[in-house]
Amino acid sequence: MHKGRLEAFSDGVLAIILTIMVLEIKVPHGADFAALRPLLPVVLSYVLSFIYIGIYWNNHHMMLAGTSKVSGGVLWANLHLLFWLSLVPFATGWMGENHFAPATLAVYGVILLMAGVAYFVLQNCIIAIEGPDSTLARAIGRDFKGLSSPPLYLAGIAASFWQPWLAGGIYVAVALMWLIPDRRIERTLVDKA
């Protein structure tokens, strides 16, 4: 199977996810800057989630750039990833509306954890059909970021109930870690050419 439809569908779903998130930010009724103050938690949760969705979109794009074929298993693994990412707007809205309450932070962390697991599954499904010497397999290597994210998400989920600010800090730290561009796939693609 060709990967073009997978890429197009995924891009469309991610665009819809971003649109849903921004539509959840309600316009204040006041005309001064003070009317924006109650929206601060909503906007902060939106910014963090926008960054996460952007990270997934970027990494998904780079992963598929190093992929030559897809299978039914890859299609299902991709849908699994999109399922968890489609829950981000719900968790974002709930977290922002409730000013980062412990349960909302924990649910947000669970969704981030599951999206990370789903991405790992997708990556391994692609490597399984492309082979251990494939561009993607060579580019992934030891995958420090991929292996360190789940324990950090678990720490954030646990911290949600006793130090909510720490949980939020952990989620921001993981996003910052992934925000730094990962050039492994780009370098491997250039070396291959």
Side-chain angles (χ1 to χ4, degrees), residues 134-136 138-140 183-193:
S134 65
T135 301
L136 182 59
R138 286 193 325 272
I140 298 303
R183 304 280 186 225
R184 294 176 298 174
I185 295 176
E186 285 182 74
R187 280 193 301 264
T188 306
L189 287 171
V190 168
D191 292 344
K192 181 182 172 185

Side-chain angles (χ1 to χ4, degrees), residues 25-43:
I25 301 175
K26 304 300 179 209
V27 176
H29 294 291
D32 57 357
F33 290 115
L36 295 174
R37 190 171 299 122
L39 290 178
L40 187 59
V42 174
V43 171

